[in-house]
Amino acid sequence: GDSVTQMEGPVTLSEEAFLTINCTYTATGYPSLFWYVQYPGEGLQLLLKATKADDKGSNKGFEATYRKETTSFHLEKGSVQVSDSAVYFCALSWAGKFYFGSGTKLNVKP
Amino acid sequence: DTAVSQTPKYLVTQMGNDKSIKCEQNLGHDTMYWYKQDSKKFLKIMFSYNNKELIINETVPNRFSPKSPDKAHLNLHINSLELGDSAVYFCASSPDLGTEQYFGPGTRLTVT
């Protein structure tokens, strides 16, 4: 069945470090892909999305490229800040259903 | 204006009680959802409503019953609360099934 797998956390980085959070998916068709962010004590917020292969989603310095050949949608940021500390969820939608990954906690230290 | 709102934000109650959580969205979306998030941040979909009709009813206990009086509201009623029901419950909405979802701030339920 359709699913999303993302790297386990927590990921701990120093401020200004490069971030990669891996996400791979399994889908029977051509899904749309999403990254959501959850700051402490808050609900999930849509961070970025991509609807077809080779699309790049970007927002707030974060980027992810829809790679059909590797079934991946890795989240990257060139220079993280303490304020980026949160839980990040990869997700896909296909055929009217939505699937979330298990979440990856990011801790950024000053 | 808050797009998706939930009340209450915190709910502390004893085992065996019945409680409700309310959700409202002002985005004009057709689809609304309830999720349960455990202490490890894992999200589990509980229910989905599209145009006031139940679309998804995942394997949740029948003590949980969603009610949608109109497209903008989806409430969650829980009977005979158990310790294992303690979690954060999120309401979400989307323009249609399978499109990006917008989440409420969550309701932290603690059952003692």
Side-chain angles (χ1 to χ4, degrees):
Chain A
D2 299 342
S3 66
V4 174
T5 303
Q6 58 183 109
M7 62 189 288
E8 285 194 28
V11 173
T12 301
L13 296 172
S14 297
E15 207 165 23
E16 299 184 3
F18 185 86
L19 168 72
T20 300
I21 300 179
N22 291 337
C23 171
T24 57
Y25 67 89
T26 302
T28 52
Y30 304 97
S32 294
L33 300 173
F34 306 84
W35 275 102
Y36 281 78
V37 58
Q38 184 180 24
Y39 298 105
E42 298 184 11
L44 280 71
Q45 301 174 25
L46 178 65
L47 182 59
L48 53 85
K49 68 177 183 180
T51 57
K52 61 183 187 298
D54 299 326
D55 270 2
K56 178 186 283 188
S58 61
N59 186 24
K60 298 181 181 179
F62 291 89
E63 293 183 341
T65 301
Y66 188 144
R67 303 280 188 204
K68 185 180 173 185
E69 63 276 13
T70 54
T71 61
S72 64
F73 193 56
H74 304 322
L75 182 68
E76 296 181 337
K77 186 175 185 183
S79 176
V80 294
Q81 305 300 311
V82 172
S83 57
D84 293 326
S85 297
V87 180
Y88 292 81
F89 292 88
C90 187
L92 74 81
S93 73
W94 171 247
K97 292 201 172 184
F98 218 91
Y99 302 89
F100 282 94
S102 55
T104 302
K105 185 171 184 179
L106 171 65
N107 295 317
V108 181
K109 297 186 173 182
Chain B
D1 285 345
T2 303
V4 182
S5 58
Q6 295 179 228
T7 54
K9 187 165 177 63
Y10 300 96
L11 185 52
V12 180
T13 188
Q14 292 184 329
M15 285 175 54
N17 285 349
D18 303 338
K19 290 293 179 185
S20 292
I21 307 172
K22 295 187 175 182
C23 177
E24 176 180 2
Q25 56 96 1
N26 62 7
L27 297 168
H29 289 167
D30 284 345
T31 309
M32 296 184 72
Y33 310 82
W34 277 110
Y35 287 88
K36 179 180 180 181
Q37 186 176 49
D38 63 23
S39 57
K40 295 187 177 180
K41 302 299 184 183
F42 183 74
L43 273 173
K44 176 184 176 183
I45 179 119
M46 301 176 70
F47 301 103
S48 172
Y49 263 82
N50 191 49
N51 280 320
K52 298 199 298 173
E53 291 188 23
L54 181 64
I55 301 299
I56 302 172
N57 184 353
E58 299 295 317
T59 53
V60 299
N62 58 15
R63 299 181 294 102
F64 291 80
S65 55
K67 284 189 171 54
S68 181
D70 56 57
K71 273 180 23 175
H73 296 84
L74 180 63
N75 303 323
L76 182 66
H77 189 75
I78 316 169
N79 289 326
S80 304
L81 278 154
E82 300 177 357
L83 292 176
D85 298 332
S86 295
V88 181
Y89 292 83
F90 286 101
C91 177
S93 72
S94 64
D96 202 348
L97 283 172
T99 54
E100 62 256 35
Q101 299 182 14
Y102 296 81
F103 282 75
T107 296
R108 180 174 293 278
L109 172 65
T110 304
V111 182
T112 62

